[in-house]
Amino acid sequence: MTINTAQFFWNKIQKNVLFLIFALLIVSCTKKETLKAESFKTNSGWGYSISYKNKILIKQSIIPVINDNKSFSTEEDALKTAHLVIDKLKHNLSPTVTKNELILLKIKL
């Protein structure tokens, strides 16, 4: 009885490739957690929070980088700023917001 070594190794390679494809399919189908922005009402306007896996990472109730302790005037302004911060976090940048960025987003200061 002779064993064809080429066929033996080809069968091993096929099994490994099939296993690898199956493993990659499972990994790619899993739910990926993303950063989530939510707005909330404050006493004088709106704020935002950013969470990951239901844990709050950032909670901002006032407009950053201005001298007054003033909340965002609209929910839309709060969410625009939150999405800017999320974009920065996704690109591994500091989540700090500058006054110039708020002006470019047309946030009422």
Side-chain angles (χ1 to χ4, degrees):
M1 173 184 251
T2 61
I3 298 175
N4 185 352
T5 56
Q7 185 179 3
F8 175 76
F9 285 113
W10 180 246
N11 286 340
K12 285 285 194 183
I13 290 172
Q14 284 179 329
K15 287 179 184 176
N16 287 336
V17 168
L18 286 175
F19 176 74
L20 182 62
I21 290 171
F22 180 70
L24 288 173
L25 281 173
I26 289 174
V27 170
S28 67
C29 291
T30 58
K31 181 180 176 186
K32 293 185 178 167
E33 294 289 332
T34 59
L35 295 167
K36 183 175 153 187
E38 293 180 337
S39 60
F40 60 89
K41 189 81 169 127
T42 66
N43 291 336
S44 60
W46 291 89
Y48 68 86
S49 65
I50 297 173
S51 58
Y52 178 74
K53 293 184 178 180
N54 295 325
K55 293 181 183 175
I56 293 178
L57 300 176
I58 298 171
K59 187 171 184 177
Q60 188 72 42
S61 59
I62 59 171
I63 302 174
V65 305
I66 63 170
N67 293 333
D68 296 336
N69 285 340
K70 181 177 156 186
S71 294
F72 293 94
S73 58
T74 65
E75 182 179 18
E76 181 184 349
D77 285 351
L79 288 175
K80 281 196 286 189
T81 308
H83 290 296
L84 170 68
V85 172
I86 287 175
D87 191 47
K88 286 182 166 197
L89 289 171
K90 285 182 179 177
H91 289 94
N92 292 325
L93 298 172
S94 171
T96 56
V97 177
T98 65
K99 192 170 188 176
N100 203 24
E101 289 171 326
L102 293 176
I103 292 169
L104 289 173
L105 287 175
K106 299 179 180 169
I107 306 295
K108 184 180 174 188
L109 303 176

